[in-house]
Amino acid sequence: EINVIKKNTFSHPLLAPLSLKIAGSIRPEFVWDQTHKDDVRRRGHDGGSRFRFTVGYQLTPVVSLVGRYLWGVDFGHMLGIKHHYDHTKNWDMQRQLFSGIKVERYGQLTYGHQHGVYHDVIGGKSDLWDNDGHADADWIAINGNFTGGDRPRNSFKYRHSLGKFTLYADYLLPQHHAPLGGNQYYQRHSGEGMGVDYQMRKDLTLGAVWDQTNATISDTRGGRRRYHQNFSGGVVRWLPGNWTLVSTATWYRHYVPVNGRKNVEHYFANHGYGLESFIGYTFSLEKPWLHSIQPYLAADTLRLKGNENFHADRLYLGAYVKVAYGVSFFLEHSFTSTSDNQPDTTWLTFYYDF
């Protein structure tokens, strides 16, 4: 992270409290599977590059204004590198944009396009391997910009630490119709979530979340159905020495879209659950051109019940290597067993972080 403007850089009293930090992550990525299909992922593509702008303004010693803009960029698309980007998508996107106030004694309140409570408590802790997100609420919802699982737009979020506990709450305001394809639309009416982290020991954290989103699925033929989308989950993270161990469990109701053909009356699986686990050990080498290596083993499973009995089980074997000067990479193989016969995949993603 680069400190572009530090507090007290300017002598003027109105500008002295201002701070600005910029960070970025450039991510070329390659994905191979057993289909031998020549596509964008196999030839190399952008795996989610982004730039983060964080601003602060210190009103008093205990009160400050905060803000963040996270800008996603597809470098293959932006640079026009043929056969290395999806032509149906935009070259950039807003990943986050929020602002708020932080009071040392009472916590932080923000509004905008931001991560929900689930990501802060559970999803962020299990975001540890490359091809992740197949069983947690971050990635399997209808659209991460609308439900509370990932980073909902038009939302309030509150966070406050009390000793070993950190409390979270969010509230989602109504959001306009979002096209789903097939002449179907999703409209959010409201949503709310609550979560808590408990720092049992310095190396052991427990977390739990409950979330609900009220929404309507409609189509151009006049069909409409209102859904009360619910999920709740828990996480355990243990960091003894160089080890990292994480386990999550999330229960869903009318949250995950069905895997097959969707219609207004049966767009979401009636209920289901997702489980994740990760174990890794970091070898700290501290060499000029090789900082550390973390071999790991991870697994997840997703079960959906209702109009279909869908299952997806994945086992991941990989390594995360930190080279030097912000350069790192994941090399990972996913062993896959699913109801829709998805293939095994091998992932290679490079990172340049600053």
Side-chain angles (χ1 to χ4, degrees):
E1 198 167 39
I2 302 171
N3 285 298
V4 178
I5 301 174
K6 296 182 179 180
K7 285 189 296 184
N8 300 314
T9 297
F10 301 103
S11 58
H12 194 284
L14 292 179
L15 296 178
L18 180 66
S19 64
L20 174 63
K21 298 178 181 180
I22 298 178
S25 182
I26 300 172
R27 305 181 179 185
E29 183 175 77
F30 302 84
V31 182
W32 300 275
D33 60 36
Q34 297 174 329
T35 65
H36 303 293
K37 182 180 178 181
D38 185 25
D39 60 8
V40 169
R41 299 200 311 168
R42 178 181 293 271
R43 290 189 296 265
H45 66 287
D46 193 301
S49 298
R50 73 280 309 268
F51 297 93
R52 184 177 70 240
F53 304 85
T54 304
V55 63
Y57 192 86
Q58 196 76 40
L59 292 174
T60 74
V62 296
V63 180
S64 59
L65 302 179
V66 297
R68 173 171 294 177
Y69 174 50
L70 189 61
W71 179 38
V73 177
D74 184 334
F75 275 98
H77 197 164
M78 182 180 70
L79 299 175
I81 304 175
K82 194 175 181 181
H83 306 307
H84 291 276
Y85 66 91
D86 186 342
H87 293 249
T88 65
K89 297 182 179 180
N90 296 327
W91 69 271
D92 74 334
M93 64 179 295
Q94 175 184 293
R95 300 180 70 93
Q96 294 183 39
L97 178 62
F98 65 86
S99 61
I101 186 169
K102 181 178 181 180
V103 182
E104 188 174 299
R105 184 176 178 181
Y106 299 107
Q108 177 174 292
L109 177 66
T110 52
Y111 166 76
H113 184 191
Q114 58 190 320
H115 281 307
V117 167
Y118 182 89
H119 179 87
D120 289 353
V121 176
I122 296 179
K125 294 182 180 65
S126 64
D127 187 11
L128 295 170
W129 66 98
D130 204 2
N131 182 27
D132 61 354
H134 293 287
D136 68 20
D138 271 343
W139 292 101
I140 60 176
I142 194 167
N143 187 316
N145 291 322
F146 293 93
T147 60
D150 190 12
R151 48 176 191 270
R153 294 176 179 267
N154 201 19
S155 64
F156 286 98
K157 184 171 69 173
Y158 176 72
R159 171 179 174 167
H160 185 37
S161 296
L162 292 169
K164 293 185 176 182
F165 292 90
T166 303
L167 309 178
Y168 303 83
D170 61 15
Y171 183 77
L172 283 54
L173 298 173
Q175 191 69 16
H176 58 75
H177 285 75
L180 301 175
N183 296 317
Q184 295 171 329
Y185 298 87
Y186 177 90
Q187 183 178 13
R188 185 183 76 205
H189 304 296
S190 65
E192 49 276 332
M194 298 182 293
V196 60
D197 270 334
Y198 174 55
Q199 194 76 38
M200 181 176 289
R201 299 200 309 256
K202 184 178 180 180
D203 62 354
L204 180 61
T205 305
L206 309 179
V209 168
W210 171 87
D211 185 276
Q212 176 175 283
T213 302
N214 303 300
T216 294
I217 298 289
S218 60
D219 60 29
T220 54
R221 294 175 294 180
R224 292 176 63 86
R225 180 181 174 183
R226 184 132 178 180
Y227 288 91
H228 299 288
Q229 301 179 266
N230 292 280
F231 65 80
S232 55
V235 59
V236 178
R237 181 177 64 184
W238 187 28
L239 306 172
N242 288 2
W243 289 95
T244 298
L245 298 95
V246 176
S247 182
T248 77
T250 309
W251 177 82
Y252 306 104
R253 179 169 176 79
H254 291 151
Y255 183 77
V256 186
V258 297
N259 190 57
R261 186 174 181 179
K262 304 172 181 64
N263 58 55
V264 169
E265 291 298 322
H266 303 289
Y267 200 94
F268 299 102
N270 186 43
H271 60 91
Y273 65 86
L275 305 173
E276 298 177 304
S277 59
F278 176 94
I279 180 170
Y281 185 88
T282 301
F283 296 91
S284 297
L285 305 175
E286 303 297 341
K287 300 297 183 182
W289 290 97
L290 187 57
H291 183 269
S292 65
I293 300 175
Q294 184 193 55
Y296 60 82
L297 180 67
D300 60 35
T301 184
L302 178 66
R303 293 289 190 274
L304 301 177
K305 302 292 184 179
N307 300 313
E308 62 172 351
N309 291 316
F310 176 81
H311 78 270
D313 300 308
R314 291 178 172 84
L315 180 67
Y316 311 88
L317 181 62
Y320 174 59
V321 181
K322 292 183 70 174
V323 183
Y325 303 104
V327 177
S328 61
F329 66 88
F330 279 96
L331 179 59
E332 174 184 294
H333 186 78
S334 303
F335 301 92
T336 306
S337 174
T338 67
S339 297
D340 54 355
N341 298 315
Q342 295 183 28
D344 293 357
T345 54
T346 300
W347 295 64
L348 175 61
T349 306
F350 294 94
Y351 290 71
Y352 173 60
D353 299 325
F354 63 89

